[in-house]
Amino acid sequence: MDKKMEKELSELCQKHPDEVAQILLETPFWLKSLSPMTNYLRFDDDTYRGCISVTFAPVGDGFIEVLSEKDPDDRDTHRFRMPTGGGHSERVRTALLLLALAIKLDNEEFPQDRPPRN
C-alpha cells in the first residue's frame, strides 16, 4: 500500500471509527497474510498463565479458544462458521480474522519467548 492510501485510511479510521469498523465487519474478505490451520496464539500480558488462540479451517470457519493455567483441563473451542456453512455470526467470524492478524503482528513485533512472570 502506498503512503497516500495509508494516510487516507488512517484519517478515515480516526474520523469515523465506528463506521469503518462496521464496514469491515460486514464486508466478507479473507486476509492473505493469514494461513488456514495455523494456530494464532497469544499469552496474556500480566501472568503468561492464560492465552487466546484463533485458528481457521480451510473452508474459512473460525475457532477461538481461551486457555487458563487455573483450569488447564477446561478447554472449550468455539466455532463460528462461514455463512454458506450454516453460520449465523458472520461479523464475529470476521472479528476473529482481525484478532488472528493482531496476534500474528504482535507475535512478530513482541515475541513472547521469555519465561512467565510470577
Side-chain angles (χ1 to χ4, degrees):
M1 173 182 346
D2 65 26
K3 291 290 182 187
K4 181 181 177 196
M5 182 185 290
E6 188 175 323
K7 183 179 180 208
E8 289 172 358
L9 286 172
S10 181
E11 287 174 3
L12 270 175
C13 289
Q14 290 173 3
K15 290 178 183 176
H16 307 285
D18 293 326
E19 292 84 353
V20 170
Q22 186 168 350
I23 289 170
L24 275 174
L25 291 173
E26 294 180 353
T27 304
F29 61 89
W30 176 256
L31 296 170
K32 294 178 183 176
S33 56
L34 299 180
S35 300
M37 303 309 291
T38 297
N39 189 19
Y40 298 95
L41 183 139
R42 188 82 182 165
F43 289 94
D44 71 81
D45 289 340
D46 295 326
T47 65
Y48 286 83
R49 293 187 179 127
C51 66
I52 54 175
S53 166
V54 179
T55 308
F56 287 88
V59 296
D61 293 353
F63 297 81
I64 186 165
E65 186 172 35
V66 178
L67 306 170
S68 173
E69 191 178 275
K70 292 178 185 176
D71 192 358
D73 294 328
D74 186 15
R75 297 179 68 150
D76 290 328
T77 302
H78 304 279
R79 176 169 62 174
F80 295 89
R81 297 174 187 247
M82 293 286 294
T84 55
H88 299 282
S89 306
E90 187 172 355
R91 292 178 194 96
V92 172
R93 186 206 154 271
T94 299
L96 291 178
L97 276 173
L98 297 174
L99 178 58
L101 178 60
I103 291 170
K104 179 181 187 282
L105 294 173
D106 281 351
N107 284 343
E108 290 170 359
E109 189 172 351
F110 303 106
Q112 293 181 314
D113 56 356
R114 54 188 179 251
R117 293 182 240 167
N118 292 325

